């Protein structure tokens, strides 16, 4: 089952990383509540609204924009305004979606948005960035219980730029890398359209070849997830892709461990040349393992790239 965590501190979750929020909330004395739905479809705004009409006494809700273990994409642009309607603060994890999927923070009324440097941003791993709404800042300022952490206290960073003071050794090289990545993004006017085109072409090629996409709907344009054919093991596919073709695909986590294969196509990896090579290598790998494909993955991927122009 997929779950939407809303907390009473409440939570909205439909995947491995969504469920991970439970531990964070419990660690700080919160009481997590879980809204559970089908885990192969995105959270439905209409169903959430029906739920909230009867049950909305929560302080905040946590949502994952793209849960990478399954590749599901939740429409936070529609979900967060519903939660805001009932005065529920929202915390959104968009680490593997932002800059690969459209996201308008103010329009979505997101209170706290979390991102990471290593995904579609394509900067070195190690940096997190957060946007904070004026409402969330007010709640932080009026908090009565001290935050039981120095580095996880966002107020420590509140005036760091004006005061020229940083709470620990500043990761200067990482910040320069992030600056370069952001400049690349700013000059890449077709970034979102390219992610959409590559994601759609990848999904169609896999389907026509006879492979099963793990999800029924709610596909992210930053990662495609397909079920491992019953004749082989996930680790066999991953090993041949890595050792023979020099390409790293990924398995998954939790209940999906060993059940699916993930193809990441985000940021600098969302380019036609690398994805064409990946699809050709995957075709060769699966056939070498005795999997009978209905179509050539590389050829169908290229076909749909042209068709989607």
């Amino acid at each position: 089952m997929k779950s939407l965590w809303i907390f009473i501190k409440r939570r909205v979750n439909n995947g491995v990383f969504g469920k991970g929020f439970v531990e964070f909330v419990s660690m700080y004395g919160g009481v997590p509540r879980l809204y559970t739905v089908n885990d192969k479809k995105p959270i439905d705004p209409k169903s959430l609204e029906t739920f909230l009409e009867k049950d909305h006494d929560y302080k905040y809700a946590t949502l994952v924009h793209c849960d990478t273990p399954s590749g599901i994409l939740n429409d936070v642009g529609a979900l967060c305004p519903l939660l805001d309607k009932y005065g529920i603060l929202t915390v959104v994890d968009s680490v593997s979606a932002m800059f690969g999927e459209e996201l308008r923070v103010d329009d979505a009324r997101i209170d706290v948005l979390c991102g990471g440097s290593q995904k579609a941003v394509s900067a070195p791993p190690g940096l997190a960035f957060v946007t904070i709404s004026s409402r969330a800042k007010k709640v932080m300022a009026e908090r009565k219980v001290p935050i039981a952490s120095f580095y996880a206290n966002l107020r420590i960073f509140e005036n760091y730029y004006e005061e020229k003071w940083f709470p620990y050794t500043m990761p200067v090289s990482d910040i320069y890398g992030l600056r370069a990545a952001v400049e690349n993004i700013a000059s890449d006017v077709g970034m979102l359209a390219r992610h959409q085109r590559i994601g759609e072409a990848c999904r169609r090629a896999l389907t026509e070849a006879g492979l099963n996409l793990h999800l029924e709907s709610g596909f992210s344009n930053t990662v495609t997830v397909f079920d491992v054919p019953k004749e082989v093991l996930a680790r066999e596919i991953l090993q041949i892709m890595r050792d023979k073709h020099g390409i790293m695909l990924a398995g998954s986590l939790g209940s999906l461990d060993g059940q699916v294969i993930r193809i990441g196509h985000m940021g600098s990896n969302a380019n036609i040349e690398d994805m064409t090579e990946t699809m050709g290598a995957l075709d060769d790998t699966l056939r070498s393992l005795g999997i009978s494909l209905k179509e050539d993955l590389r050829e169908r991927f290229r076909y749909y790239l042209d068709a989607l122009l």
Side-chain angles (χ1 to χ4, degrees), residues 1-3 14 36-43 72 216:
M1 298 295 287
K2 172 182 71 180
S3 27
N14 56 337
T36 302
V37 292
N38 186 316
D39 62 359
K40 291 192 176 182
K41 296 180 180 179
I43 297 159
I72 203 161
E216 296 176 14

Side-chain angles (χ1 to χ4, degrees), residues 10-26:
R10 189 171 219 204
R11 264 208 158 159
V12 186
N13 141 59
N14 56 337
V16 173
F17 293 130
K19 292 176 183 176
F21 273 116
V22 172
E23 296 179 12
F24 300 151
V25 172
S26 300

Side-chain angles (χ1 to χ4, degrees), residues 152-167:
N153 184 351
L154 293 178
R155 298 205 70 199
I156 295 293
F157 300 84
E158 190 170 14
N159 300 309
Y160 86 92
Y161 187 78
E162 294 81 358
E163 297 175 1
K164 298 295 185 290
W165 179 85
F166 205 68

Side-chain angles (χ1 to χ4, degrees), residues 76-110:
V76 294
L79 297 169
C80 290
L82 290 176
L83 293 158
D84 176 71
K85 177 181 176 181
Y86 291 96
I88 302 171
L89 291 163
T90 52
V91 180
V92 174
D93 169 358
S94 187
V95 172
S96 60
M98 62 167 56
F99 301 109
E101 296 283 355
E102 185 173 32
L103 179 61
R104 299 181 180 274
V105 180
D106 292 337
D107 292 344
R109 300 180 214 169
I110 297 171

Side-chain angles (χ1 to χ4, degrees), residues 4 6 10 35 44-58 79 81-88:
L4 170 91
I6 305 179
R10 189 171 219 204
Y35 172 74
D44 177 39
K46 290 184 179 179
S47 296
L48 176 61
E49 185 167 23
T50 299
F51 171 82
L52 290 173
E53 287 173 354
K54 301 177 181 178
D55 190 358
H56 52 259
D57 187 20
Y58 305 109
L79 297 169
L82 290 176
L83 293 158
D84 176 71
K85 177 181 176 181
Y86 291 96
I88 302 171

Side-chain angles (χ1 to χ4, degrees), residues 162 262 308:
E162 294 81 358
R262 297 184 289 166
L308 292 167

